[in-house]
């Protein structure tokens, strides 16, 4: 059984488009996270939600908007995609020091 | 702002050699430190977690040390195997966030 799943695994799109990445966890965790891993391999937190409420928002452009319909899901919507948005996006859930990560979504903006 | 640095960026060793991976962080007020393994196309797997009050943690062939005052941690992998080939990430927890290094990519040659 997959603990943290993300769809799609790969996403290739044109600049200016709007796209979404979905994340689901079946671990019963209250907190979920989105991370971005850039070309230099640095993983940086973007958002954290606890029970559908935003608790961490790290200087991320307004074009990025997380949406949590329930505590098992945290989706990431990105508007007006830019070349610099190309990266691997990871979803995670759990406590700060015990996080379970999804397999990642590789986003390529052309 | 916490900055985490990992040296070396890449390492290639013959099977059976011991591995030494280094991690340093700038803000010593950490809650704990973790070592993760990242395999291509997959998420992160937590290997070891060292609480700020601990000096080291061991799991099988893996041993991690922590010197909080000097902002350093070292991951030792004994008797490396080809299956150890992966990227190893160091991460520290402070301010309720995980801050990651860029990782060390390890290749173990058979």
């Amino acid at each position: 059984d997959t603990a943290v799943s993300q769809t799609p695994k790969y996403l290739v799109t044109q600049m200016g488009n709007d796209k979404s990445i979905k994340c689901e966890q079946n671990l019963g965790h209250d907190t979920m996270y989105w991370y971005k891993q850039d070309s230099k391999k640095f993983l940086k937190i973007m958002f954290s939600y606890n029970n559908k409420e935003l608790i961490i928002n790290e200087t991320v452009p307004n074009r990025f908007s997380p949406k949590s319909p329930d505590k098992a899901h945290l989706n990431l919507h990105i508007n007006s995609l830019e070349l610099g948005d190309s990266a691997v996006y990871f979803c995670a859930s759990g406590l700060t020091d015990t996080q379970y990560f999804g397999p990642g979504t590789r986003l390529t903006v052309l | 702002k916490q900055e985490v640095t990992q040296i070396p960026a890449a390492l290639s060793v013959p099977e059976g050699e011991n591995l030494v991976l280094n991690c340093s962080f700038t803000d010593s007020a950490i809650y704990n430190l973790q070592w993760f393994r990242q395999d291509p196309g997959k998420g992160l797997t937590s290997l070891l977690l060292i609480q700020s009050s601990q000096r080291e943690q061991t799991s099988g062939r893996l041993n991690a040390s922590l010197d909080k005052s000097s902002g350093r941690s070292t991951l030792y992998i004994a008797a490396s195997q080809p299956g150890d080939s992966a990227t190893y990430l160091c991460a520290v927890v402070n301010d309720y966030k995980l801050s990651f290094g860029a990782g060390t990519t390890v290749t173990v040659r058979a």
Side-chain angles (χ1 to χ4, degrees), chain A residues 10-67:
Chain A
Y10 300 97
L11 185 54
V12 181
T13 188
Q14 299 287 333
M15 265 196 318
N17 284 350
D18 302 336
K19 290 294 178 186
S20 295
I21 305 172
K22 296 185 177 181
C23 178
E24 177 181 3
Q25 55 99 0
N26 61 7
L27 298 168
H29 293 150
D30 290 336
T31 308
M32 297 183 71
Y33 312 81
W34 275 108
Y35 289 86
K36 178 180 179 181
Q37 187 173 41
D38 61 24
S39 57
K40 295 183 179 178
K41 302 294 186 184
F42 277 103
L43 254 170
K44 293 183 181 175
I45 189 162
M46 301 172 67
F47 301 102
S48 169
Y49 264 72
N50 181 279
N51 271 323
K52 298 169 50 179
E53 286 190 28
L54 181 67
I55 55 174
I56 292 177
N57 183 344
E58 289 286 301
T59 58
V60 177
N62 291 337
R63 299 182 295 102
F64 290 79
S65 56
K67 288 188 170 46

Side-chain angles (χ1 to χ4, degrees), chain A residues 37 41 58 90 96-97 99 102, chain B residues 32 34 38 43 49 97 102:
Chain A
Q37 187 173 41
K41 302 294 186 184
E58 289 286 301
F90 286 96
T96 303
D97 59 357
Q99 293 184 33
Chain B
N32 62 42
Q34 295 183 70
Q38 183 176 16
L49 183 151
K97 290 182 294 189

